[in-house]
């Protein structure tokens, strides 16, 4: 009987530790500007290199990581997010963990959205319950509607399908309900206190690049990015 009680206590402690295995910081950003369903346009590819050079790479000039710190992992979900994250992850000689959802050639948008829902849920659950990430900084490059989108959340009411809900960002003030279609140029930085999976701080940081990346759009939140069809990039997608 005593042995069973000890075993139960050990299991309960292990489960509690797992439940509180949240990273200390999650850096969230959207994929770059895209040419089509499969790849980034030239502007998006330039943004990927600019991010590695300026904010997210091992030798970034305005690194988002503290001195001596490095990201534990980079996470992505689509081909666009993979392409954006690749230069930064490679600069650290880090793997890029992909919760893959590829374009659906059947044009069944509902099926594709549900796949993104499921993979976003899986990624969030694994990240927030992984003791190996406890106290670490990770980077999530994600599809913008599955970061935050009021219409999507309303459509799947009662089922958390965005990072805003799954990572409990909605408990904090100042977290936008929707990521605008024209904005590719912001970071959402979320901080968690030790041994907690409830965030304590939210910060938005605009991506601003100097030469040789000064032509990469750096528009304010929810304002036009100035790109048109001549750029080779797709237009705004709410």
């Amino acid at each position: 009987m005593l042995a069973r009680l000890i075993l139960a206590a050990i299991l309960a402690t292990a489960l509690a530790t797992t439940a509180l295995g949240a990273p200390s910081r999650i850096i969230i950003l959207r994929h770059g500007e895209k040419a089509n369903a499969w790849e980034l346009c030239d502007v998006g590819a330039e943004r990927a290199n600019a991010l590695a050079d300026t904010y997210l790479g091992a030798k970034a000039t305005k690194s988002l990581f503290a001195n001596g710190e490095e990201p534990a992992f980079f996470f992505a979900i689509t081909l666009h997010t993979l392409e954006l994250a690749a230069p930064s992850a490679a600069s650290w000689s880090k793997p890029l963990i992909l919760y893959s959802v590829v374009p659906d050639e059947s044009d069944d948008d509902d099926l594709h959205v549900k796949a993104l829902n499921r993979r976003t849920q899986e990624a969030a659950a694994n990240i927030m319950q992984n003791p190996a990430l406890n106290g670490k900084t990770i980077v999530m490059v994600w599809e913008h509607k599955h970061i935050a989108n009021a219409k999507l959340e309303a459509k799947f009411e009662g089922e958390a399908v965005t990072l805003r809900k799954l990572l409990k960002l909605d408990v904090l003030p100042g977290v936008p309900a929707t990521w605008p279609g024209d904005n590719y140029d912001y970071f959402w930085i979320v901080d968690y206190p030790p041994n907690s999976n409830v965030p304590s701080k939210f910060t938005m940081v605009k991506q601003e690049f100097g030469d040789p990346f000064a032509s990469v759009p750096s528009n304010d939140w929810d304002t036009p990015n100035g790109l048109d069809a001549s750029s080779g990039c797709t237009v705004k997608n709410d």
Side-chain angles (χ1 to χ4, degrees), residues 204-228:
M204 285 179 58
V205 176
K206 184 164 71 168
Q207 300 168 17
E208 297 180 298
F209 307 111
D211 290 334
F213 307 110
S215 61
V216 176
S218 184
N219 48 306
D220 290 338
W221 189 254
D222 205 13
T223 65
N225 60 23
L227 296 177
D228 56 28

mmCIF file of all heavy atoms in Angstrom, residues 204-228:
data_model
loop_
_atom_site.group_PDB
_atom_site.id
_atom_site.type_symbol
_atom_site.label_atom_id
_atom_site.label_comp_id
_atom_site.label_asym_id
_atom_site.label_seq_id
_atom_site.Cartn_x
_atom_site.Cartn_y
_atom_site.Cartn_z
ATOM 1 N N MET A 204 5.038 43.895 -28.518
ATOM 2 C CA MET A 204 5.087 43.914 -29.976
ATOM 3 C C MET A 204 6.297 44.721 -30.421
ATOM 4 O O MET A 204 6.521 45.829 -29.941
ATOM 5 C CB MET A 204 3.809 44.529 -30.561
ATOM 6 C CG MET A 204 2.606 43.617 -30.495
ATOM 7 S SD MET A 204 1.087 44.386 -31.164
ATOM 8 C CE MET A 204 1.595 44.785 -32.830
ATOM 9 N N VAL A 205 7.074 44.152 -31.331
ATOM 10 C CA VAL A 205 8.270 44.821 -31.843
ATOM 11 C C VAL A 205 8.198 44.853 -33.363
ATOM 12 O O VAL A 205 8.021 43.812 -34.002
ATOM 13 C CB VAL A 205 9.559 44.101 -31.392
ATOM 14 C CG1 VAL A 205 10.794 44.749 -32.016
ATOM 15 C CG2 VAL A 205 9.669 44.088 -29.869
ATOM 16 N N LYS A 206 8.348 46.042 -33.944
ATOM 17 C CA LYS A 206 8.325 46.160 -35.402
ATOM 18 C C LYS A 206 9.700 45.843 -35.975
ATOM 19 O O LYS A 206 10.721 46.273 -35.440
ATOM 20 C CB LYS A 206 7.880 47.560 -35.831
ATOM 21 C CG LYS A 206 7.739 47.704 -37.344
ATOM 22 C CD LYS A 206 6.950 48.944 -37.740
ATOM 23 C CE LYS A 206 7.739 50.205 -37.490
ATOM 24 N NZ LYS A 206 7.083 51.377 -38.138
ATOM 25 N N GLN A 207 9.719 45.091 -37.056
ATOM 26 C CA GLN A 207 10.962 44.782 -37.759
ATOM 27 C C GLN A 207 11.379 46.002 -38.579
ATOM 28 O O GLN A 207 10.636 46.467 -39.439
ATOM 29 C CB GLN A 207 10.769 43.582 -38.675
ATOM 30 C CG GLN A 207 10.346 42.317 -37.952
ATOM 31 C CD GLN A 207 9.887 41.231 -38.901
ATOM 32 O OE1 GLN A 207 10.171 41.275 -40.107
ATOM 33 N NE2 GLN A 207 9.167 40.253 -38.381
ATOM 34 N N GLU A 208 12.564 46.498 -38.307
ATOM 35 C CA GLU A 208 13.095 47.649 -39.039
ATOM 36 C C GLU A 208 14.520 47.328 -39.468
ATOM 37 O O GLU A 208 15.373 47.023 -38.632
ATOM 38 C CB GLU A 208 13.053 48.897 -38.165
ATOM 39 C CG GLU A 208 11.629 49.308 -37.781
ATOM 40 C CD GLU A 208 11.566 50.541 -36.907
ATOM 41 O OE1 GLU A 208 12.113 50.479 -35.788
ATOM 42 O OE2 GLU A 208 10.990 51.540 -37.335
ATOM 43 N N PHE A 209 14.755 47.403 -40.766
ATOM 44 C CA PHE A 209 16.035 46.995 -41.329
ATOM 45 C C PHE A 209 16.745 48.163 -42.004
ATOM 46 O O PHE A 209 16.109 48.991 -42.663
ATOM 47 C CB PHE A 209 15.830 45.884 -42.363
ATOM 48 C CG PHE A 209 15.032 44.717 -41.850
ATOM 49 C CD1 PHE A 209 13.755 44.474 -42.330
ATOM 50 C CD2 PHE A 209 15.543 43.873 -40.887
ATOM 51 C CE1 PHE A 209 13.017 43.394 -41.878
ATOM 52 C CE2 PHE A 209 14.819 42.791 -40.410
ATOM 53 C CZ PHE A 209 13.547 42.551 -40.909
ATOM 54 N N GLY A 210 18.040 48.212 -41.858
ATOM 55 C CA GLY A 210 18.851 49.166 -42.605
ATOM 56 C C GLY A 210 19.418 48.511 -43.852
ATOM 57 O O GLY A 210 19.018 47.409 -44.239
ATOM 58 N N ASP A 211 20.365 49.174 -44.468
ATOM 59 C CA ASP A 211 21.023 48.607 -45.653
ATOM 60 C C ASP A 211 21.683 47.294 -45.291
ATOM 61 O O ASP A 211 22.214 47.143 -44.193
ATOM 62 C CB ASP A 211 22.070 49.589 -46.175
ATOM 63 C CG ASP A 211 21.439 50.834 -46.784
ATOM 64 O OD1 ASP A 211 20.289 50.735 -47.238
ATOM 65 O OD2 ASP A 211 22.104 51.884 -46.782
ATOM 66 N N PRO A 212 21.653 46.297 -46.164
ATOM 67 C CA PRO A 212 21.136 46.317 -47.535
ATOM 68 C C PRO A 212 19.668 45.876 -47.651
ATOM 69 O O PRO A 212 19.234 45.477 -48.718
ATOM 70 C CB PRO A 212 22.043 45.299 -48.226
ATOM 71 C CG PRO A 212 22.290 44.278 -47.153
ATOM 72 C CD PRO A 212 22.356 45.041 -45.849
ATOM 73 N N PHE A 213 18.922 45.956 -46.552
ATOM 74 C CA PHE A 213 17.536 45.459 -46.550
ATOM 75 C C PHE A 213 16.512 46.577 -46.357
ATOM 76 O O PHE A 213 15.372 46.323 -45.967
ATOM 77 C CB PHE A 213 17.362 44.427 -45.439
ATOM 78 C CG PHE A 213 18.371 43.312 -45.471
ATOM 79 C CD1 PHE A 213 19.350 43.219 -44.486
ATOM 80 C CD2 PHE A 213 18.346 42.365 -46.476
ATOM 81 C CE1 PHE A 213 20.274 42.184 -44.508
ATOM 82 C CE2 PHE A 213 19.268 41.331 -46.504
ATOM 83 C CZ PHE A 213 20.248 41.244 -45.518
ATOM 84 N N ALA A 214 16.908 47.813 -46.636
ATOM 85 C CA ALA A 214 16.042 48.957 -46.354
ATOM 86 C C ALA A 214 14.753 48.939 -47.170
ATOM 87 O O ALA A 214 13.764 49.581 -46.790
ATOM 88 C CB ALA A 214 16.802 50.254 -46.618
ATOM 89 N N SER A 215 14.726 48.189 -48.274
ATOM 90 C CA SER A 215 13.522 48.155 -49.113
ATOM 91 C C SER A 215 12.471 47.173 -48.605
ATOM 92 O O SER A 215 11.346 47.146 -49.116
ATOM 93 C CB SER A 215 13.901 47.775 -50.555
ATOM 94 O OG SER A 215 14.485 46.485 -50.598
ATOM 95 N N VAL A 216 12.793 46.379 -47.593
ATOM 96 C CA VAL A 216 11.821 45.443 -47.024
ATOM 97 C C VAL A 216 10.764 46.243 -46.264
ATOM 98 O O VAL A 216 11.108 47.082 -45.420
ATOM 99 C CB VAL A 216 12.508 44.433 -46.084
ATOM 100 C CG1 VAL A 216 11.473 43.533 -45.417
ATOM 101 C CG2 VAL A 216 13.511 43.590 -46.858
ATOM 102 N N PRO A 217 9.474 46.035 -46.537
ATOM 103 C CA PRO A 217 8.426 46.842 -45.893
ATOM 104 C C PRO A 217 8.496 46.800 -44.370
ATOM 105 O O PRO A 217 8.738 45.749 -43.769
ATOM 106 C CB PRO A 217 7.134 46.205 -46.403
ATOM 107 C CG PRO A 217 7.500 45.625 -47.731
ATOM 108 C CD PRO A 217 8.914 45.124 -47.559
ATOM 109 N N SER A 218 8.277 47.968 -43.772
ATOM 110 C CA SER A 218 8.261 48.100 -42.319
ATOM 111 C C SER A 218 7.089 49.005 -41.938
ATOM 112 O O SER A 218 7.257 50.035 -41.286
ATOM 113 C CB SER A 218 9.590 48.678 -41.818
ATOM 114 O OG SER A 218 9.629 48.722 -40.410
ATOM 115 N N ASN A 219 5.906 48.615 -42.367
ATOM 116 C CA ASN A 219 4.707 49.422 -42.136
ATOM 117 C C ASN A 219 4.187 49.245 -40.716
ATOM 118 O O ASN A 219 4.386 48.214 -40.086
ATOM 119 C CB ASN A 219 3.612 49.068 -43.149
ATOM 120 C CG ASN A 219 3.396 47.574 -43.290
ATOM 121 O OD1 ASN A 219 4.333 46.816 -43.550
ATOM 122 N ND2 ASN A 219 2.160 47.124 -43.143
ATOM 123 N N ASP A 220 3.505 50.292 -40.229
ATOM 124 C CA ASP A 220 2.919 50.231 -38.897
ATOM 125 C C ASP A 220 1.805 49.185 -38.850
ATOM 126 O O ASP A 220 1.287 48.752 -39.879
ATOM 127 C CB ASP A 220 2.369 51.595 -38.488
ATOM 128 C CG ASP A 220 3.466 52.612 -38.222
ATOM 129 O OD1 ASP A 220 4.609 52.196 -37.940
ATOM 130 O OD2 ASP A 220 3.171 53.826 -38.295
ATOM 131 N N TRP A 221 1.461 48.808 -37.631
ATOM 132 C CA TRP A 221 0.434 47.789 -37.429
ATOM 133 C C TRP A 221 -0.892 48.202 -38.069
ATOM 134 O O TRP A 221 -1.357 49.321 -37.887
ATOM 135 C CB TRP A 221 0.244 47.543 -35.938
ATOM 136 C CG TRP A 221 -0.628 46.371 -35.604
ATOM 137 C CD1 TRP A 221 -1.911 46.418 -35.140
ATOM 138 C CD2 TRP A 221 -0.277 44.984 -35.685
ATOM 139 N NE1 TRP A 221 -2.375 45.147 -34.935
ATOM 140 C CE2 TRP A 221 -1.401 44.244 -35.261
ATOM 141 C CE3 TRP A 221 0.871 44.303 -36.072
ATOM 142 C CZ2 TRP A 221 -1.407 42.852 -35.208
ATOM 143 C CZ3 TRP A 221 0.878 42.909 -36.028
ATOM 144 C CH2 TRP A 221 -0.250 42.203 -35.604
ATOM 145 N N ASP A 222 -1.450 47.291 -38.840
ATOM 146 C CA ASP A 222 -2.746 47.474 -39.494
ATOM 147 C C ASP A 222 -2.760 48.663 -40.461
ATOM 148 O O ASP A 222 -3.758 49.372 -40.579
ATOM 149 C CB ASP A 222 -3.862 47.626 -38.451
ATOM 150 C CG ASP A 222 -5.230 47.218 -39.006
ATOM 151 O OD1 ASP A 222 -5.269 46.605 -40.087
ATOM 152 O OD2 ASP A 222 -6.241 47.518 -38.348
ATOM 153 N N THR A 223 -1.637 48.867 -41.141
ATOM 154 C CA THR A 223 -1.564 49.862 -42.213
ATOM 155 C C THR A 223 -1.026 49.174 -43.468
ATOM 156 O O THR A 223 -0.351 48.138 -43.373
ATOM 157 C CB THR A 223 -0.651 51.043 -41.850
ATOM 158 O OG1 THR A 223 0.698 50.567 -41.714
ATOM 159 C CG2 THR A 223 -1.096 51.703 -40.558
ATOM 160 N N PRO A 224 -1.295 49.720 -44.664
ATOM 161 C CA PRO A 224 -0.851 49.072 -45.912
ATOM 162 C C PRO A 224 0.666 48.949 -45.988
ATOM 163 O O PRO A 224 1.405 49.812 -45.499
ATOM 164 C CB PRO A 224 -1.388 50.010 -47.005
ATOM 165 C CG PRO A 224 -2.514 50.745 -46.367
ATOM 166 C CD PRO A 224 -2.123 50.914 -44.925
ATOM 167 N N ASN A 225 1.130 47.876 -46.627
ATOM 168 C CA ASN A 225 2.576 47.690 -46.766
ATOM 169 C C ASN A 225 3.130 48.268 -48.062
ATOM 170 O O ASN A 225 4.338 48.239 -48.302
ATOM 171 C CB ASN A 225 2.966 46.210 -46.646
ATOM 172 C CG ASN A 225 2.307 45.337 -47.690
ATOM 173 O OD1 ASN A 225 1.891 45.797 -48.760
ATOM 174 N ND2 ASN A 225 2.202 44.038 -47.400
ATOM 175 N N GLY A 226 2.261 48.800 -48.920
ATOM 176 C CA GLY A 226 2.717 49.479 -50.123
ATOM 177 C C GLY A 226 3.052 48.571 -51.291
ATOM 178 O O GLY A 226 3.438 49.055 -52.360
ATOM 179 N N LEU A 227 2.893 47.270 -51.141
ATOM 180 C CA LEU A 227 3.204 46.353 -52.231
ATOM 181 C C LEU A 227 2.006 46.225 -53.171
ATOM 182 O O LEU A 227 0.857 46.245 -52.737
ATOM 183 C CB LEU A 227 3.573 44.976 -51.678
ATOM 184 C CG LEU A 227 4.835 44.902 -50.813
ATOM 185 C CD1 LEU A 227 5.024 43.496 -50.274
ATOM 186 C CD2 LEU A 227 6.063 45.344 -51.595
ATOM 187 N N ASP A 228 2.289 46.103 -54.461
ATOM 188 C CA ASP A 228 1.231 45.841 -55.431
ATOM 189 C C ASP A 228 1.653 44.670 -56.310
ATOM 190 O O ASP A 228 2.702 44.041 -56.072
ATOM 191 C CB ASP A 228 0.919 47.086 -56.268
ATOM 192 C CG ASP A 228 2.148 47.633 -56.976
ATOM 193 O OD1 ASP A 228 3.074 46.849 -57.270
ATOM 194 O OD2 ASP A 228 2.187 48.851 -57.246
#
